Amino acid sequence: MQKMKLVVVGNGMAGMRVVEELLKIAPDLYDITVFGDEPYPNYNRIMLSPVLANEQTIDDIILNTREWYAEHNITLHTNARVDRIYRESRVVYAEDGTSAPYDRLLIATGSKPFMLPIPGAELKGVIGYRDIKDTNDMIAAAKTHKHAVVIGGGLLGLEAANGLKIQGMDVTVIHKNDWLLERQLDKTAGKMLQLSLEAKGLNFMLNANTQQLIGHESGEYQGCVKAVQLDDGTELSADLVVMAVGIRPNYALAESAGIYCNRGIVVNDTMQTYDPRVYAVGECVSHRGTSYGLVAPLFEMAKVCATHLANFGIGLYKGSVTSTKLKVTGIDLFSAGDFSGGEDTEEIVLHDAVGGVYKKLIIKDDKIIGSVLYGDTADGAWYFQMLRDRKPIHEIRDMLMFGEDSLGNTGHSGQDKAAAMTDEMEVCGCNGVCKGTIVKAIKEKGLFTIDDVKKQTKAASSCGSCTGLVEQILASALGGGYAPPSTAKSVCGCTDKNHEEVREEIRRHKYLNIPDAMKGMNWRTPNGCATCRPALNYYLLSTWPHEAVDDPQSRFINERVHANIQKDGTYSVIPRMYGGVTTPDQLRKIADVADKYAVPMVKVTGGQRIDLLGVKKEDLTNMWADLDMPSGYAYAKGLRTVKTCVGSEFCRFGTQDSTKLGIDIEKAFDHMWAPHKVKFAVSGCPRNCAESGIKDVGIIGVDSGWELYVGGNGGIKTEVAQFLCKVKTAEEVIEYSGAFIQIYREEARYLDRTVHWIHRVGLDYVKQRVLDDAEGRKAAFERLLYALQGATNPWAERVEKRSEHKEFDIISIPA
Amino acid sequence: MSSWIKIVPLGDIPKLGSRVVRSSKGDIAVFRTEDDKVFALHDKCPHKGGPLSQGIVYGDKVACPLHSWQIHLADGHAVEPDEGQTACFAVKVEDGSVYLEI
Ligand code: SRM
Ligand SMILES: Cc1cc2nc3c(=O)[nH]c(=O)nc-3n(C[C@H](O)[C@H](O)[C@H](O)COP(=O)(O)OP(=O)(O)OC[C@H]3O[C@@H](n4cnc5c(N)ncnc54)[C@H](O)[C@@H]3O)c2cc1C
Ligand code: SF4
Ligand code: FES
């Protein structure tokens, strides 16, 4: 079959991002030709500032080398400006006569610096700041000249000014407003920024308007700029003038081809222009009336555009909320959303003028709508996340200003920590990745997202506790180029739907098996991946118990074989000892089995039972038969252990029979699958010897009844369980905790522990469902009991139906 | 000299699953995809030797059970950016039986 032809005009960040996304999902669909009018392959434009500041070189910032284009069979024309598009015959022509026919055309021509239309604007030495050429011009000018004037105190202007200063020039920034970065900062923060930049040696003239540029009239520098004149008559010497007063979408080419434009190429939510064969992305487009000047939104557009070019026809771009950061080393500022205030908004402000810290949050209808941070930006990503997710804040409002750490709910470490770390310091303890490795990968490989960093460096890809730190490193390396992933993210690359949407569709359409679910929800891949299949399998089973089909091949190996895989491919066997109570008989059986199968290690676990480690897979079934004890589900996303203490039967302080209640709970909820593992503990008095304070459900006996705590976690990040309620009887404990767990089972995202789920929905919500709504609680508890009806010990099942479980048998062949 | 050895009926390998064959060349994982293609790889992940046979199979890849490297079934290469390759063996299905070339 002949491939379709895709032509891309504009070899920049947005256009090539579409190509990369497209190659990932439909590598063989198109013959691709790219035109770019710059002499380079695609590079990381946002890193021009570090290049100017001598922190990086041009070579460092190339994103796609010429070899990369060749490897992917992409025809690249550099130095080739497209000046004609013939939409009827579907061909584009470049100025040098090169032409290319297309079936689909992608326009990604970016934008142009806006040059003030003032007298002298055409003089030599007057430039914008947009590309490698401008950057090289500035570096060259600094070698021979002294005075630079930057017009415009926005992000780009300040980065240019900082770079020129580092290159050795005297720099003055002319800005027409009262304070710098007036679109990103309020006045207070703008003034603090000005002080810090003045300390670096920059000069500022605020409330100043440029009237004209004056050139040398004769001599060696005839035709070159000499001075800048302001409207009050002031003259400033200038050998170099950088205009950074804004950008204009570059849509002239599209417009000349008759494609509808309105201050940008007008596109719909699928990034299609008015000509259905022509797509457009990047700074050149106008989407719902907005043009963007930062890479994060462009990348979101690129993802959507690629799925449509790939004929998947899914994904909509609905606009972006952006955040910004200034890429000047040593200056921390962060700004997002709307911070101008207004009628029905409230402000929370923290200002330490001496310490150089300023934070302002703008709140409307119980949600953050804007934030400005200066000096301490550690919580920028966190506020931005809440802003994007429109998260209600009343529960944490009093602590909001003190940052995420004050809530004690993540392993996050602030900007200050990331910045203070040396390159050799370890960021990811699981995979041994140092800060230097991450920074290097971000810069050299052009990484923009946490996922990119995870894939390339493995940092944050195992237990995830360093994700916050990696985010900080990304944010400081990329400036506004970094957008934290929305928490409502899609399940994986196989679909655009997020967890909630997937659950909802499974419920609505009553999908009962994975193939139907994937088909019904337009999965992009024929049978998903190792991320979505286990999630789907769980959602099906938890939504339609007894009806949905359990797919063993979609379970992680541990759940498939009911044992925990070890580093050398052997397995561990942990039988249940309900409530941590055992008998001499059980111990004898365990000892006999350990002897018979020469188990390399027998260990008492942290969960009050015994672990037989290093068992060969082919021995598992025989061993289970000999043991004749139930599986402890120590491998499952499901009910793990119910730890207990001695309690009132023996302990002199015991107020309640915690051991018995623990055993009853473990039996009542045995065989339960859940989004992640679930652990209980029951202590007989507030001395709490079973450590109820760090369990998903912790129960503490008191003289008058039982206290229930939920959402504790003793793992990656210790979380203290929160008080839910106090009840009188053991039956009530089982009903309340069962209802809580059932709602978690029905509503949490796969791989969320209870604590993560509660953080998202709020403890108030949990209380409302479990405490205030008595009928709802009873119904939820009934649903749990129904789901568990008839469940049996999986080890016994495998022993009985050995012939149906061939996966345990090894096939031997003659030598 | 290598020769084709009959292993098991195709139906004895679960779809999107695998079986382990113990041979003089070490353990070999024989995979079956959704559309009944079969592949055979040395049952050792190029990362830290994890048993690939125990991983989740999807498309024509398998995710290693130990640290989730993804391995192409067709040539044993790890999916980028991971680097490494595990050995492959020839397999075929004839008259409903799976044959392995050793
Ligand atoms: C066997 C045991 C250690 C021991 O020798 O005592 C153990 C062993 C493992 N734990 Fe654990 N955990 C064990 C008690 C704990 C405890 C303590 C407890 O339960 O009181 C905790 C902290 C409490 C908690 O979960 O809140 C604990 C927190 C973790 C975590 C972090 C969970 C978190 O949400 O932060 C993981 C990783 C995960 O699940 O993703 C983990 C994962 C693991 C795995 C399953 C890693 C894996 O996927 O292969 C380990 C298997 C080792 C092996 O080769 O078989 N293990 N693990 C304990 C088994 C208890 C049992 O009888 O079932
Ligand atoms: C110095 C600097 C610092 C920045 N810092 C940040 C930052 O910290 N964070 C952030 O998010 N963003 C930053 N930006 C903005 C970011 O670089 C842009 O948003 C992004 O590059 C836009 O991508 P694009 O593909 O739309 O345009 P571009 O990357 O400009 O690509 C368009 C390409 O098309 C070419 N072209 C145009 N017309 C034609 C034609 N007719 N024929 C052939 N080729 C053509 C252009 O030459 C260009 O190479 C910065 C920009 C600059 C200049
Ligand atoms: S048993 Fe738990 S703490 Fe120990 S190495 Fe394994 S996962 Fe880590
Ligand atoms: S051993 Fe396979 S991913 Fe580590």
Side-chain angles (χ1 to χ4, degrees):
Chain A
M1 206 183 72
Q2 201 175 5
K3 289 190 191 179
M4 292 202 286
K5 294 187 176 60
L6 172 68
V7 170
V8 183
V9 180
N11 183 26
M13 297 187 73
M16 292 317 293
R17 187 62 167 220
V18 176
V19 172
E20 286 184 354
E21 296 280 352
L22 182 63
L23 290 174
K24 266 193 243 165
I25 53 179
D28 302 317
L29 196 59
Y30 290 102
D31 280 324
I32 303 175
T33 305
V34 179
F35 287 88
D37 63 1
E38 295 187 61
Y40 306 92
N42 179 33
Y43 59 90
N44 193 345
R45 196 171 300 281
I46 75 178
M47 290 298 164
L48 288 175
S49 304
V51 170
L52 186 63
N54 278 340
E55 290 166 11
Q56 282 192 274
T57 66
I58 298 290
D59 280 347
D60 290 339
I61 69 168
I62 299 292
L63 288 173
N64 303 93
T65 59
R66 287 182 189 272
E67 293 74 45
W68 179 87
Y69 290 85
E71 263 167 41
H72 293 86
N73 294 320
I74 298 170
T75 311
L76 172 65
H77 301 293
T78 49
N79 269 324
R81 172 171 320 185
V82 172
D83 61 350
R84 278 157 297 160
I85 300 172
Y86 294 111
R87 288 194 292 133
E88 259 127 64
S89 46
R90 305 208 301 265
V91 196
V92 304
Y93 282 92
E95 279 173 351
D96 63 3
T98 322
S99 69
Y102 67 83
D103 296 300
R104 294 279 181 283
L105 177 65
L106 175 65
I107 305 182
T109 43
S111 54
K112 293 191 155 164
F114 177 61
M115 303 302 275
L116 289 174
I118 47 174
E122 71 297 335
L123 288 167
K124 266 200 212 138
V126 181
I127 61 172
Y129 185 16
R130 181 70 196 171
D131 51 25
I132 292 185
K133 177 171 182 307
D134 297 332
T135 312
N136 284 339
D137 285 353
M138 284 191 247
I139 295 173
K143 293 215 165 81
T144 49
H145 295 83
K146 195 69 198 159
H147 301 288
V149 170
V150 174
I151 305 179
L155 286 168
L156 199 61
L158 295 181
E159 290 184 9
N162 177 60
L164 288 169
K165 177 77 205 167
I166 291 170
Q167 295 291 341
M169 297 187 85
D170 284 341
V171 186
T172 303
V173 177
I174 299 175
H175 192 53
K176 68 177 187 330
N177 291 74
D178 240 5
W179 67 88
L180 300 174
L181 290 186
E182 79 285 355
R183 291 208 286 155
Q184 285 82 19
L185 301 181
D186 63 0
K187 185 162 181 175
T188 315
K191 289 289 169 195
M192 293 173 83
L193 170 66
Q194 184 179 341
L195 282 178
S196 315
L197 291 173
E198 279 168 354
K200 284 177 172 278
L202 298 181
N203 304 308
F204 293 94
M205 304 203 56
L206 300 184
N207 295 311
N209 281 305
T210 316
Q211 189 155 45
Q212 63 168 326
L213 306 178
I214 302 166
H216 291 274
E217 307 218 313
S218 59
E220 186 191 348
Y221 292 119
Q222 192 177 6
C224 295
V225 69
K226 176 175 89 177
V228 175
Q229 193 184 57
L230 306 182
D231 59 357
D232 65 359
T234 319
E235 254 184 49
L236 300 168
S237 299
D239 311 311
L240 174 71
V241 174
V242 179
M243 290 217 199
V245 290
I247 52 173
R248 292 288 176 270
N250 183 9
Y251 58 88
L253 171 69
E255 197 166 46
S256 73
I259 294 170
Y260 179 61
C261 297
N262 182 8
R263 279 185 281 174
I265 304 171
V266 177
V267 292
N268 63 17
D269 290 355
T270 68
M271 308 319 294
Q272 209 169 27
T273 68
Y274 274 60
D275 178 338
R277 288 182 181 274
V278 183
Y279 288 77
V281 290
E283 288 186 343
C284 58
V285 309
S286 166
H287 171 264
R288 298 191 182 183
T290 305
S291 296
Y292 294 92
L294 292 169
V295 296
L298 312 186
F299 289 171
E300 290 177 36
M301 293 178 190
K303 227 190 170 103
V304 171
C305 184
T307 66
H308 289 278
L309 286 173
N311 289 333
F312 287 137
I314 43 173
L316 292 180
Y317 177 69
K318 296 178 182 162
S320 305
V321 190
T322 56
S323 69
T324 40
K325 247 190 119 275
L326 183 70
K327 299 194 302 300
V328 170
T329 304
I331 293 190
D332 269 348
L333 73 81
F334 177 90
S335 139
D338 174 4
F339 55 88
S340 53
E343 289 227 328
D344 32 9
T345 62
E346 306 144 33
E347 287 179 4
I348 306 180
V349 180
L350 180 150
H351 188 181
D352 171 0
V354 178
V357 172
Y358 175 77
K359 303 183 182 185
K360 174 156 127 185
L361 296 175
I362 311 353
I363 317 266
K364 187 173 172 182
D365 301 333
D366 195 29
K367 288 165 194 111
I368 299 180
I369 60 163
S371 75
V372 177
L373 307 179
Y374 188 85
D376 172 8
T377 53
D379 288 299
W382 183 55
Y383 295 134
F384 189 41
Q385 187 102 327
M386 286 192 276
L387 187 152
R388 284 170 46 127
D389 293 352
R390 300 160 169 277
K391 190 181 158 101
I393 54 147
H394 60 276
E395 274 182 22
I396 51 171
R397 185 172 173 132
D398 52 342
M399 300 304 279
L400 201 53
M401 206 21 110
F402 308 107
E404 198 173 12
D405 266 351
S406 69
L407 302 176
N409 67 0
T410 55
H412 121 131
S413 318
Q415 180 82 26
D416 303 341
K417 172 145 185 237
M421 289 178 83
T422 62
D423 279 356
E424 299 74 42
M425 282 166 88
E426 189 169 83
V427 173
C428 173
C430 291
N431 296 299
V433 188
C434 306
K435 179 184 167 193
T437 314
I438 299 176
V439 173
K440 194 161 164 251
I442 293 172
K443 296 192 166 161
E444 287 179 2
K445 305 219 160 123
L447 311 183
F448 294 97
T449 66
I450 282 276
D451 280 349
D452 292 344
V453 175
K454 281 187 192 166
K455 274 197 200 125
Q456 291 284 347
T457 67
K458 301 287 169 218
S461 67
S462 295
C463 82
S465 68
C466 61
T467 310
L469 200 52
V470 175
E471 258 185 339
Q472 300 297 344
I473 296 174
L474 251 176
S476 55
L478 290 182
Y482 175 65
S486 163
T487 51
K489 59 181 182 242
S490 59
V491 175
C492 66
C494 304
T495 177
D496 281 338
K497 296 197 192 314
N498 62 37
H499 290 267
E500 284 69 24
E501 290 164 343
V502 167
R503 286 204 118 153
E504 172 53 28
E505 295 215 13
I506 290 176
R507 205 170 300 124
R508 182 147 36 94
H509 299 291
K510 194 163 184 185
Y511 295 127
L512 294 177
N513 60 54
I514 292 182
D516 286 353
M518 285 186 177
K519 204 157 152 244
M521 291 187 270
N522 290 320
W523 236 243
R524 273 181 211 144
T525 42
N527 39 48
C529 70
T531 301
C532 60
R533 286 231 312 270
L536 275 179
N537 196 52
Y538 171 72
Y539 291 152
L540 291 168
L541 292 177
S542 57
T543 314
W544 300 109
H546 304 295
E547 295 185 75
V549 187
D550 189 359
D551 175 24
Q553 303 308 337
S554 294
R555 285 185 181 266
F556 183 63
I557 180 64
N558 291 355
E559 293 188 351
R560 205 184 316 143
V561 301
H562 292 273
N564 197 306
I565 196 163
Q566 324 262 276
K567 59 186 283 192
D568 61 354
T570 60
Y571 289 83
S572 65
V573 171
I574 307 185
R576 272 222 193 280
M577 286 180 177
Y578 294 95
V581 176
T582 184
T583 60
D585 225 26
Q586 272 187 350
L587 293 174
R588 256 188 298 271
K589 265 198 284 194
I590 292 175
D592 287 344
V593 162
D595 274 344
K596 178 167 171 191
Y597 297 93
V599 170
M601 174 149 92
V602 181
K603 182 178 181 306
V604 176
T605 74
Q608 301 190 336
R609 42 200 193 167
I610 292 178
D611 195 348
L612 301 162
L613 294 135
V615 180
K616 293 194 204 69
K617 187 177 180 188
E618 57 270 32
D619 284 344
L620 285 172
T621 318
N622 291 332
M623 195 159 155
W624 294 334
D626 292 346
L627 255 182
D628 191 26
M629 284 172 76
S631 161
Y633 284 86
Y635 44 79
K637 311 278 176 244
L639 180 73
R640 291 278 175 100
T641 46
V642 180
K643 297 218 291 194
T644 70
C645 72
V646 188
S648 58
E649 289 292 279
F650 293 92
C651 175
R652 65 197 165 111
F653 295 120
T655 61
Q656 298 282 0
D657 191 348
S658 48
T659 323
K660 175 167 187 310
L661 177 56
I663 294 172
D664 289 347
I665 291 176
E666 195 164 346
K667 291 198 166 150
F669 303 154
D670 205 354
H671 315 298
M672 177 186 82
W673 301 111
H676 204 309
K677 55 195 179 195
V678 176
K679 298 178 178 182
F680 280 63
V682 191
S683 298
C685 84
R687 290 170 191 76
N688 196 7
C689 297
E691 299 167 332
S692 303
I694 48 165
K695 292 290 173 279
D696 295 283
V697 180
I699 299 147
I700 298 178
V702 289
D703 207 44
S704 52
W706 304 92
E707 291 176 351
L708 263 67
Y709 295 80
V710 293
N713 188 316
I716 295 167
K717 174 88 168 53
T718 310
E719 300 279 355
V720 176
Q722 304 185 68
F723 177 72
L724 180 70
C725 63
K726 192 175 145 194
V727 296
K728 284 221 169 55
T729 65
E731 292 70 44
E732 282 172 303
V733 172
I734 297 188
E735 176 182 316
Y736 281 64
S737 58
F740 166 74
I741 288 295
Q742 178 63 11
I743 297 168
Y744 160 69
R745 293 180 74 232
E746 291 169 353
E747 301 186 4
R749 295 175 189 164
Y750 189 65
L751 296 188
D752 266 357
R753 291 283 295 262
T754 51
V755 61
H756 308 123
W757 172 63
I758 295 178
H759 274 159
R760 201 164 39 245
V761 299
L763 188 63
D764 284 352
Y765 172 78
V766 173
K767 285 185 171 160
Q768 179 242 314
R769 296 284 306 267
V770 179
L771 305 182
D772 306 348
D773 176 5
E775 265 175 40
R777 174 183 66 242
K778 290 201 167 68
F781 180 56
E782 287 302 321
R783 290 199 297 279
L784 176 60
L785 295 186
Y786 169 73
L788 293 174
Q789 240 170 44
T792 55
N793 168 25
W795 290 354
E797 191 264 350
R798 274 159 179 72
V799 171
E800 236 170 75
K801 301 189 184 150
R802 211 172 251 255
S803 59
E804 287 171 31
H805 292 286
K806 295 215 168 69
E807 77 266 21
F808 291 96
D809 300 336
I810 286 197
I811 305 167
S812 291
I813 50 173
Chain B
M1 262 308 282
S2 65
S3 59
W4 288 100
I5 298 175
K6 189 165 169 175
I7 306 296
V8 281
L10 181 63
D12 278 7
I13 308 177
K15 273 194 191 217
L16 296 174
S18 76
R19 293 290 299 275
V20 179
V21 177
R22 187 147 293 164
S23 81
S24 55
K25 301 196 171 149
D27 282 359
I28 299 171
V30 182
F31 299 92
R32 175 178 173 197
T33 64
E34 173 90 84
D35 50 359
D36 285 344
K37 282 188 281 192
V38 292
F39 297 99
L41 297 178
H42 188 30
D43 195 14
K44 254 186 177 342
C45 175
H47 178 221
K48 292 191 175 172
L52 297 172
S53 56
Q54 314 296 299
I56 290 183
V57 179
Y58 61 98
D60 46 14
K61 300 193 194 83
V62 58
C64 175
L66 293 196
H67 318 97
S68 304
W69 276 31
Q70 301 165 48
I71 310 294
H72 288 287
L73 295 176
D75 58 7
H77 268 293
V79 172
E80 278 180 34
D82 294 323
E83 285 168 16
Q85 187 184 16
T86 193
C88 317
F89 297 85
V91 262
K92 64 179 178 187
V93 181
E94 256 174 37
D95 300 331
S97 286
V98 181
Y99 293 78
L100 184 64
E101 192 180 32
I102 298 272

